[in-house]
Amino acid sequence: MADLTRDDVAHLAGLARIDLSDAELDRMVGELGVILESVATVQQAPIEGVEPMSHPMPIVNVTRPDVVRPSLAPEDALAGAPQAEQQRFSVPRILDED
């Protein structure tokens, strides 16, 4: 793998629209180099016959089935409301219409 240069880091920072100081550019050369080496190491893992997955353990959806069932009547839902208007909760206005 080719070595990462300060110009490479400056180019990447420009693409990401990140303004880095000279000291930060110098530091990022080493840090990005370590990251790239780590990625290269992971890419060498033997993956023949391994199926792609999103999680290392099987995950089962734990939501309940979507079943239609009766709900509260509007009168029952609004029974404890301080104010109701046209079968809706009535609350104080907090925004102007501007």
Side-chain angles (χ1 to χ4, degrees):
M1 175 186 288
D3 289 329
L4 197 62
T5 66
R6 189 173 189 275
D7 290 336
D8 294 332
V9 175
H11 178 70
L12 289 172
L15 292 174
R17 299 184 181 183
I18 299 172
D19 188 24
L20 297 176
S21 68
D22 290 338
E24 290 171 323
L25 283 172
D26 292 334
R27 188 179 80 234
M28 292 304 284
V29 170
E31 290 180 8
L32 287 176
V34 170
I35 292 169
L36 290 175
E37 288 174 12
S38 298
V39 169
T41 301
V42 169
Q43 287 177 333
Q44 294 174 5
I47 58 170
E48 294 81 27
V50 177
E51 295 210 16
M53 63 181 113
S54 63
H55 296 82
M57 303 297 289
I59 292 183
V60 178
N61 194 352
V62 294
T63 59
R64 71 176 200 279
D66 190 12
V67 177
V68 177
R69 57 184 179 178
S71 62
L72 290 175
E75 298 79 24
D76 295 335
L78 296 169
Q83 291 182 321
E85 185 178 316
Q86 297 179 355
Q87 292 190 341
R88 295 185 181 104
F89 293 98
S90 180
V91 296
R93 180 181 298 274
I94 60 168
L95 300 175
D96 293 330
E97 290 192 30
D98 292 347

